[in-house]
Amino acid sequence: MNRIAYVNGQYTAHHAAAVHVEDRGYQFSDGVYEVIPVVAGKQIDSVGHMERLARSLSELRIPAPMSERAMNLVINEVIRRNRVRNGYVYLQVTRGVAPRDHAFPTDPDSALVIYARPKSSAARKSNAETGVAVITVPDQRWARRDIKTVSLLPNCLAKQAAKEAGAYEAFMYDREGMITEGSSTNAWIVDQEGRLITRPASNDILNGVTRLALMALVEEAGLEIVERPFSVEELRSAREVFLTSSSGMATPVVKVDDRVIGNGRPGSVTCGIMERFESYVSGDETEIAAGRISA
Ligand code: PMP
């Protein structure tokens, strides 16, 4: 099948899709992105993702390349043309092309790229069954981790360290020894009383759309969530640990560094959350995270 990408107003063959060498995303990582899951042909939490995109753009003063409505039409067209039933949409907006100069161009023309890829749920399902291992590494990122920029080098280094250690993810910790989040996931623990603990949204973490969806699901279930930072020590001795992201939904963590969590199998609270997620993404409601990204 011929895959199609949308690049600055045109639907192009994926293999030929390209951006300019002076695109500010390429030269300065002056751009933001979103990854929106597609399950059974439907976007999951597209409103939440668009709200976060609008926030990222506004924090960086990058003009929106088109209205949200128009962007949604393009997203759906890209999903349709690529016949993606299960997979994801990748969307990136940069401050556009300009002669290289650190300061913003006076009349920026934002560049927009959208493509979609199929992705099997096999890996996610097998991780859900067995659980995954994480390592902990120092957080080497800048001070605005709440903005979803394409500047992901420290995240790549952390994920590579995890891979080399035979782990699935690296949880990063700040100078006080408190966990911020994973290299591409949000981090959660379950305490002895069964409460879910996760770091509050601030400039220190990316406010995951899955994190917000989970909060909505868990509120319905009557589980208690405490938003507070937790330490590496608390993580290592937690009753249960899990992580959330658009691609993995909720994934149990059964090992942190060299410490086994619980009995080394996914815990009951995490399993309950995964079941709720599965029924959410296979149901009719798809926008449970809408309105939860704060300005
Ligand atoms: N934190 C970071 C650093 C991420 O890159 C991601 C994935 N984009 C997340 C958390 C999870 O966010 P979401 O649930 O929106 O995928």
Side-chain angles (χ1 to χ4, degrees), residues 7-284:
V7 184
N8 292 327
Q10 275 172 343
Y11 294 95
T12 320
H14 188 92
H15 66 87
V19 294
H20 196 276
V21 290
E22 287 186 315
D23 187 287
R24 290 180 61 93
Y26 182 59
Q27 294 196 323
F28 297 115
S29 71
D30 188 1
V32 301
Y33 74 107
E34 283 296 330
V35 178
I36 309 168
V38 177
V39 177
K42 289 181 302 190
Q43 293 180 60
I44 304 298
D45 287 311
S46 66
V47 173
H49 284 280
M50 295 312 263
E51 286 171 353
R52 188 172 60 188
L53 176 69
R55 183 182 183 281
S56 296
L57 289 170
S58 116
E59 290 299 302
L60 295 177
R61 294 194 281 147
I62 298 176
M66 58 174 66
S67 72
E68 233 166 73
R69 212 177 116 78
M71 214 182 287
N72 236 314
L73 289 176
V74 178
I75 292 172
N76 281 318
E77 184 62 11
V78 170
I79 293 172
R80 192 187 69 76
R81 288 198 190 205
N82 291 281
R83 298 200 202 112
V84 172
R85 293 282 303 156
N86 294 292
Y88 63 90
V89 174
Y90 179 87
L91 181 160
Q92 176 171 323
V93 181
T94 72
R95 209 182 305 268
V97 176
R100 190 173 183 284
D101 180 6
H102 289 59
F104 300 169
T106 44
D107 192 13
D109 195 5
S110 304
L112 172 62
V113 167
I114 302 178
Y115 64 79
R117 269 190 188 277
K119 187 173 172 193
S120 146
S121 56
R124 177 172 65 74
K125 289 192 171 144
S126 120
N127 288 339
E129 255 172 48
T130 58
V132 299
V134 306
I135 58 165
T136 53
V137 298
D139 197 330
Q140 307 192 84
R141 298 173 300 162
W142 73 325
R144 291 302 307 273
R145 304 157 189 158
D146 55 313
I147 306 172
K148 195 163 170 62
T149 79
V150 293
S151 191
L152 290 172
L153 191 50
N155 308 59
C156 294
L157 294 174
K159 190 74 96 188
Q160 181 62 21
K163 190 175 168 188
E164 287 172 12
Y168 173 80
E169 176 61 302
F171 281 178
M172 299 176 281
Y173 53 85
D174 64 19
R175 287 180 185 189
E176 282 73 50
M178 309 303 273
I179 296 293
T180 51
E181 61 187 325
S183 70
S184 64
T185 58
N186 288 113
W188 299 73
I189 58 173
V190 179
D191 72 6
Q192 296 307 327
E193 283 72 45
R195 289 179 296 229
L196 307 187
I197 301 177
T198 198
R199 191 162 175 132
S202 73
N203 293 355
D204 297 337
I205 63 163
L206 183 76
N207 197 356
V209 172
T210 320
R211 173 185 184 277
L212 295 171
L214 189 144
M215 284 179 170
L217 286 170
V218 160
E219 272 167 23
E220 283 173 3
L223 278 168
E224 193 184 340
I225 295 184
V226 183
E227 289 185 79
R228 66 159 175 86
F230 57 86
S231 67
V232 175
E233 232 356 272
E234 273 183 280
L235 167 71
R236 288 159 59 92
S237 54
R239 184 168 122 189
E240 296 181 30
V241 179
F242 64 95
L243 49 84
T244 54
S245 76
S246 293
S247 53
M249 297 194 233
T251 303
V253 173
V254 294
K255 197 169 168 224
V256 175
D257 296 322
D258 52 3
R259 260 300 248 289
V260 172
I261 304 298
N263 61 3
R265 307 276 308 153
S268 59
V269 175
T270 310
C271 288
I273 287 167
M274 290 192 295
E275 267 167 39
R276 283 189 172 267
F277 246 104
E278 286 296 341
S279 56
Y280 166 51
V281 299
S282 54
D284 296 333

